Amino acid sequence: MIKWMLVFIVTSYSSNTGYIEPRTEAYYSYNTMEDCFKARETLSIKMGGEAGHYPIGTIGVCFRYQAK
């Protein structure tokens, strides 16, 4: 079964490496592309951005995956 996943990625400074590094902050699963894209837009607003535009250093990405 094909499903959709929304992954919320943030960048932050790592004191271990001394670099700005990405990390997955959250992920959510959806049955349809439409549901994933609606959730992506809602998340962008909740994170302080504007509809579909995330604050600098963050992003939400929807992609298909094969569920078991």
Side-chain angles (χ1 to χ4, degrees):
M1 167 188 268
I2 299 294
K3 296 191 77 149
W4 286 82
M5 184 171 290
L6 169 59
V7 177
F8 179 54
I9 302 167
V10 300
T11 56
S12 61
Y13 176 78
S14 170
S15 60
N16 292 333
T17 65
Y19 294 104
I20 303 277
E21 297 180 349
R23 73 175 191 278
T24 301
E25 190 69 20
Y27 58 92
Y28 311 93
S29 183
Y30 300 93
N31 290 322
T32 67
M33 178 181 69
E34 291 81 10
D35 288 344
C36 190
F37 276 54
K38 286 177 190 175
R40 181 187 180 279
E41 186 168 334
T42 299
L43 182 59
S44 70
I45 294 167
K46 287 182 179 180
M47 293 297 109
E50 298 176 13
H53 298 278
Y54 283 77
I56 292 173
T58 66
I59 189 126
V61 179
C62 286
F63 60 89
R64 295 181 303 165
Y65 71 98
Q66 184 71 43
K68 291 184 179 186

